[in-house]
Amino acid sequence: LLKGANEILYSDPEQALKISEHILHNATDSELNVQTRLLLTKVHLITGNYKEAISNVQVALKEIKSIDDSNIRFDTFLLAAEIYSYLELYEISNQYLTEAKKIAADHALLQTKLAVFQFPDKKSEVALKKIPAKEALAFSFITKGTPLQRIANDFLQKSQLDSALIYFQKSRKN
């Protein structure tokens, strides 16, 4: 169910919200609970309900203390950093980003994800080559789009329309 809700997050956020609330109501596992809170955070962020987004990410941050899974811990800190950065609360964002960096230090794939998050330009393109194409969408950031979309937007801002088109097309294929 959680995977399905993630898949419809952008196309049908209301349905993703309903599914997430159902999962959360029935969750007995801490990891599932945190993952559902992260999905709820994303739903509320894309629908503009920032207060609820922050509330859910804060609950997830409290719950990850009892979780050993480094991927879930990393995703939680990185999403918190992303939200607070988007809301221009950079000091708080940097605190969570620092925690994400500590976790990523021993994991190559998490380091790549961190590089894509931190450097949405040419470094994203280099980092993106390390990511299998089928996993590229997993590196989409709620406030920034997929790395391919960000690279395309960079070309668009520079009026390099042919290059922008190529990256937008690559983004659609993934």
Side-chain angles (χ1 to χ4, degrees):
L1 270 177
L2 188 63
K3 184 179 179 186
N6 268 303
E7 290 174 359
I8 63 168
L9 175 63
Y10 297 101
S11 62
D12 192 355
E14 289 178 18
Q15 187 63 26
L17 177 64
K18 290 177 186 176
I19 293 169
S20 299
E21 288 173 342
H22 173 76
I23 294 169
L24 191 62
H25 180 71
N26 295 307
T28 57
D29 178 303
S30 293
E31 289 182 13
L32 180 59
N33 210 7
V34 169
Q35 290 173 316
T36 305
R37 288 283 179 188
L38 296 180
L39 180 58
L40 282 168
T41 299
K42 293 175 186 177
V43 168
H44 289 301
L45 187 61
I46 65 171
T47 58
N49 191 347
Y50 304 123
K51 183 178 177 181
E52 283 298 316
I54 289 173
S55 175
N56 278 287
V57 82
Q58 286 298 318
V59 171
L61 286 164
K62 288 176 185 170
E63 290 184 23
I64 63 168
K65 292 174 184 173
S66 65
I67 295 175
D68 293 328
D69 187 315
S70 58
N71 290 314
I72 294 173
R73 294 174 58 80
F74 175 83
D75 288 343
T76 304
F77 285 123
L78 197 60
L79 182 58
E82 184 179 359
I83 290 169
Y84 285 106
S85 176
Y86 180 75
L87 296 174
E88 298 180 2
L89 298 167
Y90 302 115
E91 190 173 318
I92 298 169
S93 175
N94 284 333
Q95 292 171 0
Y96 294 123
L97 189 56
T98 299
E99 292 300 319
K101 286 178 183 179
K102 289 177 188 175
I103 296 168
D106 298 329
H107 299 86
L109 194 58
L110 296 182
Q111 289 174 6
T112 301
K113 191 172 184 178
L114 188 61
V116 172
F117 174 75
Q118 289 185 286
F119 308 107
D121 52 18
K122 288 292 182 189
K123 291 183 183 179
S124 286
E125 193 172 354
V126 172
L128 194 58
K129 290 178 182 175
K130 297 179 183 178
I131 304 170
K134 66 181 182 178
E135 294 180 24
L137 283 180
F139 290 91
S140 172
F141 294 98
I142 194 97
T143 60
K144 299 179 182 185
T146 67
L148 290 171
Q149 290 168 336
R150 290 188 280 156
I151 293 168
N153 283 328
D154 288 343
F155 282 121
L156 199 56
Q157 289 175 351
K158 296 173 189 170
S159 296
Q160 296 175 351
L161 303 179
D162 290 340
S163 296
L165 179 62
I166 289 168
Y167 279 95
F168 279 127
Q169 287 174 334
K170 283 183 181 181
S171 177
R172 284 194 63 205
K173 287 178 186 174
N174 286 336

